Amino acid sequence: MFVDVAEREFRLDGKPSTDSRLNLLTGVHRKDVKRLRTKAVGEANDLPENISFGAHLVSVWLNSARFCTESGRPLPLPRLASNGGECSFDGLVAHVSKDIRARVVLDECLRLGIVRIDDQDCVHLEAMAFIPQRGFDEKAAYFRHNLHDHACAAAHNLTESGEPFFERSVHYDGLSSSSVEQLRDAVRTEGMQVLIAFNQLAAELEGQDVPEPDARQRITIGLYFYTEPSPPDTPPSTKASSS
């Protein structure tokens, strides 16, 4: 991530940086800089195929009228097409891709804690986004992707004179544990609703867009929550800030 951000955001006169300059900027050893730069372009930003497919699957489940009561309210789906037809988990997978067996997808989603199966053999969506609950490699892929894009947004805002990327946060350091838990619950509930709304809008726009191959763009919209004890000698303060 450090090498990629330094290479893209800290060029001199728009020219590619040398391995030595990137070593100086990042502290990453020059041999490692060279190794990282030889990887395929965009590889660091690509999510593994199972995550990309799973994210698409969940988005369809949340936004397609066939698989939800309304946008953001997914239906429990009969596992087999023989029971639910097109409105089944089999039908959902076929809607996304006809090149992969539904059982394979189901097993992967169960492994990652994305879905569960009830006593009626119906599949329930357990997460309102494709967020692996288990599987270190999958969690690490999201860690890399989200941290990379956040760092790029921050670096852009520090170094570019054009319109900044939206990056805001709220800081409090004099709250009790019970207040922090209340805020955590609010972020979990209301923050997720905000992201679901953005997801629905993005899905609608993607359905309307027909960009040229060389004009396509990707986006990342994130929200996070973090807490830790405040130093006992720190006076309480409040602020909203931008990086």
Side-chain angles (χ1 to χ4, degrees):
M1 180 194 72
F2 281 122
V3 170
D4 184 65
V5 171
E7 183 172 21
R8 294 200 296 135
E9 301 290 347
F10 290 88
R11 294 186 175 190
L12 295 176
D13 300 323
K15 298 178 181 179
S17 297
T18 63
D19 292 349
S20 296
R21 173 169 166 75
L22 294 180
N23 161 247
L24 179 65
L25 288 172
T26 66
V28 177
H29 194 281
R30 190 166 57 183
K31 290 183 179 179
D32 291 320
V33 169
K34 182 176 181 179
R35 174 179 56 82
L36 292 168
R37 296 181 83 187
T38 57
K39 287 187 175 183
V41 175
E43 181 181 348
N45 297 328
D46 289 342
L47 289 169
E49 186 176 352
N50 66 329
I51 291 183
S52 297
F53 182 90
H56 188 192
L57 187 87
V58 171
S59 180
V60 171
W61 200 341
L62 289 170
N63 293 297
S64 175
R66 185 188 306 172
F67 306 109
C68 59
T69 55
E70 59 182 274
S71 290
R73 296 186 178 274
L75 288 165
L77 303 176
R79 182 171 63 89
L80 301 174
S82 57
N83 294 326
E86 292 185 347
C87 298
S88 63
F89 189 81
D90 284 355
L92 173 64
V93 174
H95 182 85
V96 176
S97 173
K98 299 186 184 303
D99 297 328
I100 186 169
R101 292 173 54 240
R103 183 71 226 189
V104 174
V105 177
L106 179 60
D107 288 344
E108 181 68 0
C109 288
L110 287 169
R111 180 182 74 84
L112 295 174
I114 303 300
V115 303
R116 66 177 175 86
I117 302 177
D118 65 18
D119 295 337
Q120 307 300 314
D121 203 30
C122 287
V123 185
H124 295 253
L125 183 62
E126 289 286 271
M128 298 302 283
F130 190 82
I131 306 172
Q133 305 301 310
R134 298 184 289 272
F136 180 83
D137 290 344
E138 290 77 13
K139 289 180 179 180
Y142 266 119
F143 172 82
R144 180 180 68 243
H145 181 274
N146 292 339
L147 193 60
H148 174 276
D149 285 2
H150 193 174
C152 285
H156 171 89
N157 292 348
L158 280 171
T159 60
E160 301 294 330
S161 59
E163 181 180 359
F165 287 112
F166 185 88
E167 189 193 14
R168 299 288 185 272
S169 58
V170 176
H171 311 264
Y172 281 73
D173 56 20
L175 293 169
S176 66
S177 296
S178 60
S179 295
V180 169
E181 287 305 311
Q182 186 174 342
L183 282 163
R184 189 197 304 269
D185 290 341
V187 171
R188 183 183 296 116
T189 302
E190 298 174 28
M192 195 66 221
Q193 292 303 315
V194 170
L195 291 178
I196 288 172
F198 285 139
N199 178 63
Q200 292 167 357
L201 177 59
E204 292 171 5
L205 293 173
E206 186 178 52
Q208 301 168 13
D209 284 343
V210 189
E212 295 296 328
D214 59 352
R216 296 173 59 193
Q217 297 191 50
R218 68 178 187 87
I219 65 157
T220 298
I221 303 171
L223 179 72
Y224 69 93
F225 174 90
Y226 178 72
T227 183
E228 66 179 12
S230 294
D233 57 347
T234 301
S237 63
T238 302
K239 62 181 178 178
S241 71
S242 164
S243 294

